[in-house]
Amino acid sequence: MVRRDPGEAHRAATPLELLFDLCFVVAVAQAGDRLVHAVVHGHTGHGVAGYAMIFFAIWWAWMNFTWFATAYDTDDVPYRMATLVQIAGVLILAAGVPRAFDQADYTVVVAGYVVMRLALTTQWLRAARGERGGPRTTALRYAAGVVLLPVGWTAFGFLPRGGVQTWVFVLLAAAELAVPVVAERSGPTPWHPGHIAERYGLFTLIVLGETVVAATLAVQRAVDRGSSTDLLPIAAGGLLIVFAAYWTYFIVPIHEHLRGGNSAFLWGYGHYLVFCSAAAIGAGLHAAVEQVTGEAPIGALTGAAAVTLPTAGFVFFTWLLHARHYKPSLRQQVVLPLTAAAILACTFAGTWAVLCAGGVAAASVAVSLAIRHHTSVSGTAEDQVRPVPTSPATHEPPRTDQEVPRRPETPPGR
């Protein structure tokens, strides 16, 4: 197994990576469905906590595969077989989501997670075999962390439900996040900025797809009931939200920002908040539909908040981690934070809350485009779309060595 060149041209996601992502759709849908079930039955706090924990397992497993693949994807038979085992682990994890939510029984989820981690361990050991010096030590540290932590997760699966289980989860999650920090000290592994940007973009589309499904459900319910007064505004608002979310996320060439310094580390980890909130929008739309049709014993305010809160979170976190690096002027920077605040205010619009939130999100896109057009016409150089340096390291040329040219300084976690 030989490391990939992070400077290679035309690097793109492989069919195997797309299949891997497709299987994660099942896990994301299961987590969203159980979140809806908890919200509509008045167990919002329990549902949000369980959703955050389950989504961490989903997201971190995806992260492990994605960042390893960008460095060592050889696409040969052993690599494919190990990846297919990881996919099997994803499906086992997804099958255990209902039990984890309803009974706090994480044994099946942990079993699927352990399967994925053991398969990844073989990948890191294989990478270590082909490396020398610092890179070999890095690969062995990853293998050690990946194989040891499942022991803790196995014990976690048998803990009694309650506060102890929650605190143990927090400690184990922190340990997972620390593995890359420790491993990379002996030398960074290579990663391809364009490939990573594409992979994160594809997962963003997956989680936004839950919103499209929810909007479709609203239309279907309206047709079945023969009335569109209450449900079509939810469907229209949901589509406006997903269209605006797509436009906001994909308008920036983020791979340019990821080329230097430690920026990719926070960007990669921080996307947990982006993905989690995006998937929760679809769950919120399901809850809003249940509330309007009278099938959920929740008030209109709760139904509206189930949509507006994650939508505002997605807008804000996308700005904080992603879009702000290409908004050099103050008037460009304030658009998305103000949009998030306005979407939160839409919570109090009653049955029109979702449509209002979608209108605000769409309006923010129009305002951003108008500002860009105005600065382009006026020729104001500082307002043009370009990456905003966040540290002196951004201006440094990529490091080179004899083995791997243009290697970024610090990759995010695996």
Side-chain angles (χ1 to χ4, degrees):
M1 179 174 279
V2 180
R3 57 173 52 192
R4 297 288 292 261
D5 177 6
E8 66 179 284
H10 310 298
R11 177 76 186 272
T14 65
L16 184 60
E17 288 177 311
L18 299 179
L19 176 62
F20 190 84
D21 289 356
L22 179 63
C23 293
F24 269 88
V25 173
V26 180
V28 172
Q30 286 277 25
D33 180 68
R34 304 320 292 178
L35 176 60
V36 173
H37 182 78
V39 170
V40 300
H41 287 86
H43 306 297
T44 303
H46 168 73
V48 171
Y51 175 77
M53 294 168 67
I54 293 296
F55 203 91
F56 177 85
I58 296 170
W59 163 77
W60 189 245
W62 180 86
M63 282 269 291
N64 275 265
F65 170 78
T66 297
W67 287 90
F68 180 86
T70 195
Y72 292 106
D73 181 1
T74 54
D75 199 31
D76 56 8
V77 172
Y79 178 85
R80 290 187 178 188
M81 294 300 295
T83 301
L84 293 177
V85 172
Q86 288 179 272
I87 291 176
V90 173
L91 299 179
I92 295 172
L93 185 151
V97 169
R99 291 170 62 92
F101 261 93
D102 299 340
Q103 307 170 27
D105 181 357
Y106 291 91
T107 53
V108 178
V109 170
V110 169
Y113 193 72
V114 169
V115 169
M116 288 186 285
R117 302 297 274 176
L118 292 179
L120 184 62
T121 301
T122 65
Q123 298 276 51
W124 277 115
L125 290 175
R126 188 180 175 211
R129 184 180 180 183
E131 295 282 19
R132 297 292 182 273
R136 176 180 172 82
T137 302
T138 298
L140 289 175
R141 287 179 177 177
Y142 270 115
V146 169
V147 77
L148 289 177
L149 279 171
V151 177
W153 286 114
T154 301
F156 166 82
F158 293 96
L159 289 175
R161 178 177 179 178
V164 174
Q165 191 182 53
T166 302
W167 282 110
V168 171
F169 173 87
V170 172
L171 291 175
L172 288 172
E176 290 277 10
L177 296 174
V179 168
V181 178
V182 175
E184 296 287 335
R185 289 179 179 175
S186 58
T189 50
W191 53 279
H192 193 288
H195 178 248
I196 285 296
E198 181 188 16
R199 298 293 292 118
Y200 272 72
L202 290 171
F203 201 78
T204 301
L205 292 177
I206 286 175
V207 292
L208 286 177
E210 292 298 302
T211 305
V212 177
V213 172
T216 303
L217 173 64
V219 174
Q220 179 184 345
R221 291 284 185 86
V223 172
D224 291 343
R225 294 180 61 193
S227 173
S228 61
T229 305
D230 296 326
L231 290 177
L232 287 188
I234 295 178
L239 287 179
L240 285 175
I241 288 171
V242 74
F243 293 161
Y246 152 78
W247 203 300
T248 300
Y249 187 91
F250 288 98
I251 197 171
V252 297
I254 196 63
H255 62 279
E256 297 177 3
H257 170 68
L258 300 177
R259 288 187 179 277
N262 298 330
S263 58
F265 197 96
L266 293 176
W267 183 85
Y269 275 14
H271 261 67
Y272 167 77
L273 299 172
V274 175
F275 294 152
C276 193
S277 57
I281 296 173
L285 285 171
H286 277 286
V289 170
E290 297 287 326
Q291 187 274 321
V292 168
T293 57
E295 298 178 15
I298 57 175
L301 186 64
T302 302
V307 179
T308 57
L309 288 177
T311 302
F314 176 85
V315 171
F316 179 77
F317 293 129
T318 298
W319 166 79
L320 183 65
L321 297 165
H322 193 77
R324 69 181 178 88
H325 303 295
Y326 291 83
K327 297 180 180 294
S329 69
L330 178 61
R331 59 179 174 174
Q332 288 176 313
Q333 288 286 1
V334 300
V335 172
L336 291 181
L338 291 178
T339 299
I343 289 173
L344 286 177
C346 292
T347 305
F348 304 97
T351 56
W352 296 94
V354 177
L355 184 59
C356 289
V360 169
S364 72
V365 174
V367 170
S368 296
L369 292 175
I371 293 175
R372 178 180 303 176
H373 176 72
H374 178 266
T375 55
S376 177
V377 171
S378 62
T380 307
E382 67 269 20
D383 280 349
Q384 301 304 313
V385 176
R386 57 182 174 82
V388 181
T390 55
S391 68
T394 308
H395 295 290
E396 294 176 1
R399 298 188 305 171
T400 60
D401 55 37
Q402 294 182 353
E403 268 189 71
V404 183
R406 297 174 55 194
R407 182 170 62 195
E409 292 182 3
T410 306
R414 304 299 189 280

